[in-house]
Amino acid sequence: MTTTTTTTSLPTSLPTPADLGVTLVDDAATATTGAPGVPLSSLVRLALRRNPKRAHLLVSTVLAKHVPTVPAVALLAGEALGARVADVLDGGARFDATAAARLRAVLDAQAAAAGTGSAPEDAPSTRSGPADPARTGDAAAVDRHDALHRSATTLRTDLAAVRPLTSDALVLGFAETATALGALVAESLGAATLHSTRHDPAGATPAAGFDEAHSHATAHRLLPAEDDWLPADGTVVLVDDELSTGATARATIRALHALAPQRQWVVAALVDLRSDADVAATEALAAELGAPVAVVALGRGHVTLPAGLTTTAAELVATAAAPLTGGTPDAGPATTTATATATDTDTATDQADTASSSDGRSAPAPARASRPSSVTVVEAAPTAVDRTGTPAARVRTPRTDVEGVAADVAAVLGDDAGRVLVLGTEEHMATPLAVADALRRRSGADVLSSTTTRSPVAVLDDPAWPIRSGIRHRSHDVTVDGPGDRFAYNVHGFDAIVVLPEPGTDTALLDGPDGLLHTLAAVTPRVVLVTSALQSDAPEDRPAPRPLTGPSFGSYEPDDVTWLLQDLADAALEADTADRERAIQLEGANYAESLPVEYVPTEAYEELYRDALDRSADRIAEAVGIVTDLVLRDRPRAVLVSLARAGTPVGILMRRWAAEQRGVSLEHYTASIVRGVGIDETALRWLAAHHDPTQVVFVDGWTGKGAITRELTDALDRFAASDGVRFGDELAVLADPAGCTPLHGTRDDYLVPSACLNSTVSGLVSRTVFNGAWTPEGTLHGAKQYRELAGRDRSRSFVATIADRFDAVRPRVDAAVAADGGPAARAVDWRGMRTVEAIGAEYGIADLHLVKPGVGETTRVLLRRVPWQVLVRDPDDVDIAHVVALARERGVPVVTRPVLSYSCVGLIHPLGSRVTDATATPATTTGAEA
């Protein structure tokens, strides 16, 4: 059936869209065909234009353009639209009815948090808050924003788990509203991306161009950097926020098809409002070109527009539109203009009453205390833009050091940042949105995101309308239509606004009485400007390190961990296990130069993992709590740096314990350490640049004989000597049977279930790689991700299972930490190394790296190396059942040693001269005590 959606009623003083006869009507066909989708009112709200061509404007609630939005919601919208496109391309069902229902729940929560809930006429009201939490300081709304961030991020991560790789496709986003949306769809698909632009850089020759008839600024141009930007006989996906008639998309398809005929076309939009005639026109175009043109959207329907709306809307704007805050070109540098409305509580105390015209033009007012001269500038690494195109190979890599920018801005804002808006400029949307999401994850601030715009929208300060306030400023970039006014909406009432102009922007053009910085100073007490150079593609201009997060790298949610690694997805690094072993033992290769073929566990082995997890979840949770509390005791603001990849899930669990049980938010990174090389020094330099090194605590899963502990200490000593920066070398682990670190949850040698599996319990990420051909000096160590194993991924469920036991084990953790005997009780004694030396002597093994004690290390021997023998204390011990099973699966002898001090020890097959003549295997029940 056809569903008419209206905004739930709140007291209003102005006519509502419904009063004007304008309503959103959902498509009946969606319900009839079962096609997944969400109501239009969950995606857009009605506003009025200052444009004689069209009276109304649909303001997206998920685009982070005109309306400040929780960044994760905008990221989710792009992922969901990308999933819809992927389903069309390969016949999948990623965005099914369940995903659509989850998306609608997220959007309903967003409406409730903003107090703009909308629902079908017969549905209960979802509005449960004030009209604008950023302007009222509603703490409950801030909590709702946090919950909204979490639910949106979880759904995005779930959708990303089944991303395709469509490297032969091009995604084209339309300026200015869909530039970030296009980039997000491309990231989801793994496709190349480009967006149209109105920029006019010197010397640029457009490869193509077209007009958007209904737009405020109609001219679009394409300025790709590469000659082969358009596929030949491939797939092109056009992305826009809204399809009103589809005319612009059809014109673009016709123009591009003339340049290079394509096998198929896809048009993707957040909302599809085309009439039956418009749909027929698209079908006719497909027939004309001989290539299918598919259209997908998250919402489908139409807008009812009564006769005479242009006149009625113009009258309402003339009589009721609120003025815009803006600079005045004739005023001196100490003067801004602003107007305080009745609901602008944060600005009213600082601004005098002003006279203003009813059409929204601003009038002079006393300046606020904040001045452009006091703007805090944060310099970011060179940044790439999507305007000139991003190849498929780089589309899932950040365009700049997003995490570093967010860390630096968080440090500038401090602990009590309050409500923060991250503001992009016009077409520059994708990177500001990514920074906003990272800033929200890294700070306690309530961070929203939006961008400036060319669109002159009427400001109607009433709950029925989405645009409640606005500013006007002069343009600062060179465009095909010349200089003009620019706008930003709903920016009043934030405690700070962080501005990210396009890379390479001359910041002087942002200043001045009518510049963006000066105008923002009239509406917020604090302005932070993030500047960056434009990233060059010259070989000598190597990009700065760009840490990675999920879901573009790894299967964890971005809140859980930041990977100080580079993605080596295109590197052919896997080698046969026997070949690797020969290279390592006989040719002097480092084990990190290549990767073993990733082990895919059998169902029987998975059952062993599940049994182990069920048995040990409480024990693991208790160890997590103890070691985390020990860390917090000395470093209440610790920065966790886990050693990839075994340490990664432990770092995530420690972060969860700190947040859920102690109310402390800790940042968590994961970095590479390689025996014989040390910890990644590029990662250390990044950490030192963005954090206090004295607060960094390194994290691993367990200790074997203590080799990595010593490697860490030696590496940090070298780094202190070379860079003059000292990191602490204490290693926090769950289990320390080697007796080599005081920061441990236990010294028992027992199974940490994550040791049973490889990538499928570590975010689908390989072990780390240090190979000069792929990780040259000055770059981060690397890793690969195995998306093809997504169906077997246990990474997030493992963390969730352990975290679910936190409440139950907390009393035991409290008691253990309270009874802790201090440094003497946790003294290092290197018992593990003594054991290894004894076994090496007994078995004639000169290279002690071939002796791997403990459950975790023995598991690694069986999964990654060429095993020789496995020594076990008790073959019937349930904690090593998976070890015995793996050994039998691989035909490796299992030798029982009842007096073994570890549960088990794995011996790597000795090759060549690294073994002495004494290589006879001792009797299965005798031998030197180890």
Side-chain angles (χ1 to χ4, degrees), residues 1 3-8 26 39 41-42 104 108 117-126:
M1 64 177 181
T3 304
T4 301
T5 306
T6 59
T7 303
T8 55
D26 293 309
S41 59
S42 296
R104 180 173 184 179
D108 286 347
S118 50
E121 288 180 333
D122 58 349
S125 171
T126 59

Side-chain angles (χ1 to χ4, degrees), residues 414-510:
D415 293 337
D416 300 317
R419 298 151 298 177
V420 177
L421 174 66
V422 174
L423 185 69
T425 54
E426 296 190 56
E427 296 173 6
H428 186 49
M429 296 179 65
T431 293
L433 180 62
V435 169
D437 188 62
L439 181 60
R440 186 171 193 97
R441 288 187 272 108
R442 292 175 172 276
S443 69
D446 184 19
V447 181
L448 304 182
S449 181
S450 65
T451 69
T452 64
T453 178
R454 294 164 164 262
S455 299
V457 186
V459 173
L460 299 173
D461 191 12
D462 185 275
W465 300 92
I467 303 301
R468 306 289 300 278
S469 67
I471 64 169
R472 184 203 310 267
H473 64 94
R474 59 172 163 76
S475 60
H476 61 266
D477 44 15
V478 179
T479 59
V480 293
D481 56 345
D485 284 343
R486 301 293 185 264
F487 309 90
Y489 299 109
N490 292 7
V491 298
H492 291 67
F494 287 92
D495 296 300
I497 296 180
V498 180
V499 184
L500 278 81
E502 187 152 303
T505 296
D506 181 354
T507 56
L509 299 176
L510 302 171

Side-chain angles (χ1 to χ4, degrees), residues 14-36:
L14 297 178
T16 67
D19 293 335
L20 300 184
V22 183
T23 56
L24 299 172
V25 181
D26 293 309
D27 187 8
T30 300
T32 302
T33 62

Side-chain angles (χ1 to χ4, degrees), residues 222-245:
L222 299 179
L223 302 176
E226 303 297 331
D227 292 336
D228 59 350
W229 61 278
L230 189 59
D233 192 31
T235 298
V236 175
V237 181
L238 306 182
V239 177
D240 210 348
D241 61 316
E242 167 197 340
L243 288 180
S244 52
T245 66

Side-chain angles (χ1 to χ4, degrees), residues 67 148 198 225 246 364 438 454 518 533 558 565 654 662 688 743 750 767 776 810:
V67 177
L148 181 59
R198 297 179 178 109
R454 294 164 164 262
H518 199 95
L565 297 169
M654 290 177 66
R662 305 306 181 202
L743 289 178
Y750 66 90
R767 66 176 309 162
R810 179 168 173 169

Side-chain angles (χ1 to χ4, degrees), residues 59-78:
V59 173
S60 173
T61 60
V62 300
L63 200 58
K65 182 63 181 177
H66 299 91
V67 177
T69 305
V70 172
V73 173
L75 296 172
L76 169 59

Side-chain angles (χ1 to χ4, degrees), residues 605 608 611-617 619-620 748-753 755-756 854-856 858-859 872-884 903-904:
Y605 187 78
L608 287 174
D611 289 345
L613 183 58
D614 289 342
R615 287 194 316 273
S616 61
R619 187 163 53 175
I620 299 297
D748 294 339
D749 178 30
Y750 66 90
L751 175 62
V752 177
C756 291
V855 182
T858 304
T859 303
V872 300
R873 187 169 55 204
D874 178 4
D876 297 322
D877 182 352
V878 292
D879 272 344
I880 62 168
H882 74 290
V883 169
V884 174
S903 298
C904 56

Side-chain angles (χ1 to χ4, degrees), residues 29 172 323 398-399 420 459 491 505 575 584 637 761 766 819:
L172 175 62
R399 309 303 192 261
V420 177
V459 173
V491 298
T505 296
I584 293 169
R637 300 299 300 272
V761 78
S766 73

